[in-house]
Amino acid sequence: MAIKVHGSPLSPAAQRVLLALAEKDLEYEFILVDLRSGEQKKEPFISINPFGQVPGFEDGDLKLFESRAITKYISHAYADKGTPLIDQDPKKQAIIGVWLEVEAHRFDAVGQKLNFELLIKGFKGLTTDEAAVEQLQGELGKVLDVYEGRLGKSKYLAGEEYTLADLHHLPLINNLFKTKVKALFDERPHVGAWCAHLLARPAWQKVLEACKF
Amino acid sequence: MAIKVHGSPLSPAAQRVLLALAEKDLEYEFILVDLRSGEQKKEPFISINPFGQVPGFEDGDLKLFESRAITKYISHAYADKGTPLIDQDPKKQAIIGVWLEVEAHRFDAVGQKLNFELLIKGFKGLTTDEAAVEQLQGELGKVLDVYEGRLGKSKYLAGEEYTLADLHHLPLINNLFKTKVKALFDERPHVGAWCAHLLARPAWQKVLEACKF
């Protein structure tokens, strides 16, 4: 099998890659990296990612890391397979590009911290910092206010079609929906409807099935 | 004139856009956004960027924000002009893509904080937190260790050619070189040589001239 994903099924970044593969209906081999024993910081994994973080990715002789670089590669290299996640027109692609950056620098920046406080700390037996959660919820609310305005004008972030910009949000939305932060999404009707559309995608159901834990 | 950049010449993100335009030898109109009076938080600017941060960008009827989305658009839409900053081959572009993500999530994440502590706080009359600087320097050093390994194998991050992945680093390197953090770059010979190549680019000199302050 040509495509290999190295990661943990618990990692939202690895799930992002699996989701792009599922949307493209591509087969892959999943190679479990044991994060608890620090396998990601040792050879052979650090030959794929010298920063020692999952996921890693191989397609034949091509080795990649950074989940968003991997999903972009999948979208371009397999443009004619499955769901079109990008656009060949530079101006339309630029709008997708803007919302890809917004996800990475606005949504994920605060969403990851909430994920850490409300879920990862639980797994690790650490105590949630409620004051930090309060502040982070305020920050996420401001980001989602902009999303609400945007999604009032188009069904998805970059227009009427689902694209890679929407896809990148899914693993973290799925995690945050298990916490009280879900209310921030639900109380904004366009954001709430958008999340419902994303979470119902068959490709996402396929990822959940593959990552069952 | 079709291309307009809205920003401040002091903003590394705006400089990143100007640098891509300079590498492509494209003409543009620079529209100053007065950050001190909060012009970026008001109309008409927030119609370009609802998050209220510079730069904003227009190319005819296309309006964009997020500096890295803008430079990617410039690289693709004007692929046949000036310096080639991307690659049409999906596998080669994927390697550029990895290092674009590394810049955004590893280098910039810590570099911006050092820029804030050592330069922006100075402009604002605030006191630098030396303990934070110490910790951030340790973090940046670890990132630069990976860069040193990489740049020992190829002249630029994605291979033998200068690409958008290198370009994105330039404004922040230029700022950090005005501080004691420069030593972290200089003590790693391949990183030091790479910085020297970047800072000597005629397009960067053109940006410095345009942003003189």
Side-chain angles (χ1 to χ4, degrees), chain A residues 4-65:
Chain A
K4 293 178 186 172
V5 180
H6 302 253
S8 156
L10 284 165
S11 149
Q15 291 176 355
R16 192 178 287 132
V17 171
L18 299 185
L19 180 54
L21 291 168
E23 292 286 2
K24 290 294 182 185
D25 212 12
L26 292 166
E27 297 292 315
Y28 61 89
E29 181 185 350
F30 189 81
I31 297 157
L32 190 69
V33 179
D34 183 359
L35 303 183
R36 287 184 195 202
S37 70
E39 230 184 288
Q40 74 280 17
K41 302 287 181 197
K42 301 172 196 159
E43 289 293 359
F45 187 78
I46 58 161
S47 285
I48 300 176
N49 182 359
F51 291 99
Q53 278 190 355
V54 295
F57 178 88
E58 294 180 79
D59 188 359
D61 60 355
L62 180 71
K63 287 178 171 48
L64 301 176
F65 61 100

Side-chain angles (χ1 to χ4, degrees), chain A residues 117-150:
Chain A
E117 286 296 338
L118 295 169
L119 289 170
I120 298 178
K121 276 192 168 179
F123 285 122
K124 294 193 173 181
L126 301 169
T127 309
T128 296
D129 179 342
E130 290 296 345
V133 169
E134 189 72 19
Q135 198 196 317
L136 290 165
Q137 286 200 112
E139 290 174 28
L140 183 61
K142 283 184 194 162
V143 173
L144 293 182
D145 283 342
V146 176
Y147 278 49
E148 181 66 9
R150 177 74 188 176

